Structure formats: structure tokens, C-alpha cells
Amino acid sequence: MGVPGRKGRCSCSAPSDKDHLLLLLILFLPMLLPMVESRTLNYTRHTQTSTLRLQRITRHLDKINKPPSADGDVIDCVHKRKQLALDHPLLKNHKIQKMPTEMPRGMMKVNEGDEGESMAWQTWHLNGTRCPKGTVPIRRSTVHDVLRAKSLYDFGKKRSRLVPLSRRNDAPDVLSANGHEHAIAYTGSSQEMYGAKATINVWDPSIQVMNEFSLSQLWILSGSFDGTDLNSIEAGWQVSPELYGDSRPRLFTYWTSDSYRATGCYNLLCAGFIQTNSRIAIGAAISPVSSYGSNQYDITILIWKDPKVGNWWMSFGDKTLVGYWPAELFTHLAEHATMVEWGGEVVNSRSNGQHTFTQMGSGHFAEDGFGKASYFRNLQIVDMDNSLSSVQSISTLAENSNCYDIKSFYSNEWGTYFYYGGPGNNPQCP
């Protein structure tokens, strides 16, 4: 202790440049933080939550997470017979189908447990994580994931699509009254279809606000587009800060049997989709992604109906089975599809009174072509004979081609293909 009345001695040296810098940061950091935050998406902020709401969320997560544990993008290895899908009331007596009874003709032969090519493109494998045979990898959901959603009921669901655009009778399910915008190709209802396939290159589009998303996917559809009975099976990649808490592209699936009203969800966030693969985590990040004017990376997705059992199977790449949607989940799709769509979708919330800057695909228009625009290539459908065949003719649609557009082509190497996407807000898209 110092002696009263005397100056204390200090063994400190004169302040260095680092000390001055640290002092300035301490003084000015409170003023800088709001500026930084305003330029980035805030994935974790949410309003104060009541104890009752947290209890409801926790109970819901206890059902989804088996077993529940810590926060973060953690992959749990869950026994395949304990997965949430089998909690669905229509699947109480469901026996898991190990393999499809038949592969579509034209598809490479698949052997049970053939999962090698699925590992190179999902980042959760990079630290050496593996799930043993007999289990399925499931991305753990957290309280923060739910709190980013509008409500517990909305967690993991697409918002209902209620008001259809004026369109031809054979036009696809393009409904934009709630801000959804598309650039898609489709093949119409003149024939029965039993599946679809495409190769899609992967990008990391910029998202302007947290409750918007950008995705690229294929749709398998049946039912009425302007009613409440639309059946849809969907898969592809998406960037959704609200759903995942970040801006990384992720593999996703979706299904509904009532026009997105009460049934279905993304990934494995509700009972329904049955996973059989122990290496692919639905909802996990994809890496690497395509770069403008440089390397292009794509994924191949096939969805088809087992001709004997009726379940809708999904495969990745040439021969990696992921799992299936049981036939019991559907009404119209219990029989066949009447339309297939491929392409991009974004949410335009007009949060500041103008069109969103959220990008579709690479953020560049179709006319920019290979290496710059996003693409779907080798479009195929599965016919009533369970054969894969190249799509000979497609229609294309974009609600606002000044914001996002699409152009289709044909070549011997890529078959039927198209470029699509765009930047959103620009001088022609205010």
C-alpha cells in the first residue's frame, strides 16, 4: 500500500501504441457496434420470451432432438428406428424400407450401404465425424433456431401460399402474394410422372434480411394449385438465415399434402421423411460452392416413386440413397405426379419499401452463362415404365424478369438445361 501524503511509485513503462489503440477501442466500441450490426444479419437477437413459451419450445425440441444436448450445428447419430419420422400417426405400423424394390432404368446400380460419394461435400465430415451403420445423422435443433421463427407453429415450415397469379391452366404453382418470387422451368400435366432428376450447381447467394431465403430445388407436384389439397415433394439447396442461423448453402428437403397449410416441414423437423443413409445429414452445409468465373460445383438429386411399394425415394449423386417419403403421407402423390418444376425461389419481403437485394442463384442473370449464372442441367423425368428420360420440352416462367430471369437450352452433353437467377434490386428492379 502507498504511504499517505506521498506519491506512489509505479513500475509501469510509458503507454505504447498498442495501449493507445486499446484505449481508443474501449472508448469508441459502443458507438461502432450499431454501425457494424446494421450491415450484417443478426441471427440471434429476438424479443424477450416468456417462461411459458420457452417451456413449450423445450418440449417441442425434446421430440425433435434425440438425444437433446448443447447448442450449435451439431450432428446427432440417432438409431434409424428412433427417428422422428416414425412418430407420425399414419406411420405407427410402418416398417422401414431398406432399399427400393426397383431403381429407375438408366440409373446406376445402387448397393445397400453404398454411401461413399456423399461424404466429400458436407462440412460436418471435415472434423472426422461419422455415424455408425444403423443410425442416421440428424442436425440438432436449438432454442435459438425456434426463436428466429415467427412462432413455434411456423418453425420449420414454409409460409402458406394463398393467392395464385393469373396464369394458364397448365402453369405451375407460382404464388407470389406473400412475396415468393420464382424463375423456374416446368413440364405440364399432359402425362403421368413418377419422378424427376437434375444436376444443380451450388452458390452462396446474399440474403438481405433474416426472414428471407434463396433456394434452388426441384418440385414433384400433384393436386390443385388453387385449392387446399396440393401435394408437393421438394429437394435442393437453400440459404435461410431464419431457419439455420447463418448464410451457408445447405441441402434441404420439404413436403406437404395440403398446400403448405398444416402438413409437412423442412428436413427432419417434423414426422414424415424417413432417412436411411448414415452419412448424409439433411440440413447440413454444402462445401465447396461455385465461384464467379472460376470452379463450378454441383449436386445431383433424383426423386422417384417405388413402382411396387409406392414410397417416394430420394438419391444424391449417381447412386447414393438418402431416404424416402412414405406413400401414406400423401393423397394425390399416392398415385403419381402431374407436374415437375425445377428452378429458383426467393422471398421478397420489401422490408424497406423496395424490392429486396436478396440474390437468386449466383446473383447474376441467365444471359451471363456458364461460370457466372446458376444452372440446372440434364433435366430428366421418370415415366410410368420407371425409366429415366431426358425432358424434351419445357416451359419457363419468371414473375419479374427484371429481378430474376431464366433461359433454357439443349445440348448433347447437358441435355435440356437452363441458366437462371439475378441480383434482385437493381435500376430495372426498384
Side-chain angles (χ1 to χ4, degrees), residues 169-292:
N169 290 334
D170 65 343
D173 177 30
V174 175
L175 307 164
S176 62
N178 59 352
H180 290 249
E181 296 187 12
H182 308 76
I184 62 172
Y186 62 97
T187 181
S189 56
S190 60
Q191 60 179 316
E192 297 177 359
M193 287 170 283
Y194 295 83
K197 182 180 181 181
T199 297
I200 318 165
N201 70 335
V202 182
W203 297 82
D204 53 352
S206 173
I207 311 298
Q208 182 178 347
V209 296
M210 191 182 68
N211 65 348
E212 296 178 342
F213 65 66
S214 180
L215 59 77
S216 297
Q217 67 170 65
L218 57 84
W219 290 258
I220 310 289
L221 298 159
S222 191
S224 55
F225 296 133
D226 54 358
T228 60
D229 65 341
L230 182 71
N231 289 198
S232 182
I233 292 174
E234 306 166 23
W237 63 263
Q238 70 177 162
V239 176
S240 176
E242 180 178 273
L243 187 59
Y244 303 107
D246 61 26
S247 290
R248 294 183 291 173
R250 295 170 177 270
L251 175 72
F252 84 95
T253 61
Y254 199 93
W255 70 274
T256 181
S257 61
D258 63 353
S259 299
Y260 307 92
R261 292 170 184 266
T263 63
C265 61
Y266 282 111
N267 306 331
L268 306 179
L269 297 179
C270 67
F273 183 85
I274 294 178
Q275 183 156 342
T276 59
N277 190 293
S278 65
R279 301 293 177 89
I280 292 179
I282 299 174
I286 299 172
S287 179
V289 300
S290 301
S291 301
Y292 183 83

Side-chain angles (χ1 to χ4, degrees), residues 297-355:
Y297 297 95
D298 52 34
I299 59 175
T300 299
I301 292 175
L302 165 64
I303 298 172
W304 84 99
K305 183 177 172 63
D306 186 309
K308 293 183 179 178
V309 179
N311 299 327
W312 288 87
W313 277 87
M314 173 182 168
S315 74
F316 164 81
D318 289 323
K319 56 179 183 177
T320 301
L321 297 173
V322 180
Y324 62 91
W325 292 267
E328 296 95 319
L329 299 176
F330 302 104
T331 53
H332 298 288
L333 281 177
E335 300 297 327
H336 55 78
T338 56
M339 181 172 288
V340 171
E341 300 172 16
W342 302 264
E345 178 181 355
V346 301
V347 171
N348 171 28
S349 64
R350 301 187 69 88
S351 60
N352 55 2
Q354 61 182 10
H355 193 285

Side-chain angles (χ1 to χ4, degrees), residues 134-147:
T135 69
V136 293
I138 297 178
R139 179 183 181 271
R140 186 178 302 172
S141 297
T142 70
V143 171
H144 287 294
D145 291 335
V146 181
L147 291 175

Side-chain angles (χ1 to χ4, degrees), residues 19 108 121 132 190 269:
D19 295 326
M108 292 182 67
W121 58 279
S190 60
L269 297 179

Side-chain angles (χ1 to χ4, degrees), residues 337-404:
T338 56
M339 181 172 288
V340 171
E341 300 172 16
W342 302 264
E345 178 181 355
V346 301
V347 171
N348 171 28
S349 64
R350 301 187 69 88
S351 60
N352 55 2
Q354 61 182 10
H355 193 285
T356 182
F357 285 90
T358 289
Q359 299 172 332
M360 180 188 291
S362 68
H364 293 267
F365 287 114
E367 64 185 16
D368 288 353
F370 181 77
K372 299 176 181 178
S374 302
Y375 63 76
F376 276 63
R377 62 179 174 90
N378 300 108
L379 305 188
Q380 294 178 288
I381 60 170
V382 181
D383 61 23
M384 62 188 305
D385 293 325
N386 197 35
S387 296
L388 270 169
S389 59
S390 179
V391 176
Q392 297 301 311
S393 62
I394 56 173
S395 302
T396 59
L397 186 149
E399 289 108 324
N400 191 342
S401 59
N402 289 326
C403 307
Y404 315 104

Side-chain angles (χ1 to χ4, degrees), residues 89-108:
L90 295 176
L91 303 178
K92 286 183 177 180
N93 300 314
H94 185 87
K95 184 178 179 181
I96 295 177
Q97 186 181 7
K98 293 182 179 180
M99 293 278 290
T101 59
E102 291 183 27
M103 308 300 168
R105 295 178 184 88
M107 178 183 177
M108 292 182 67

Side-chain angles (χ1 to χ4, degrees), residues 70-90:
D71 292 342
D73 196 3
V74 177
I75 304 299
D76 291 314
C77 300
V78 178
H79 194 284
K80 62 184 180 180
R81 288 195 292 270
K82 299 294 185 180
Q83 59 184 298
L84 180 64
L86 298 174
D87 290 350
H88 197 288
L90 295 176

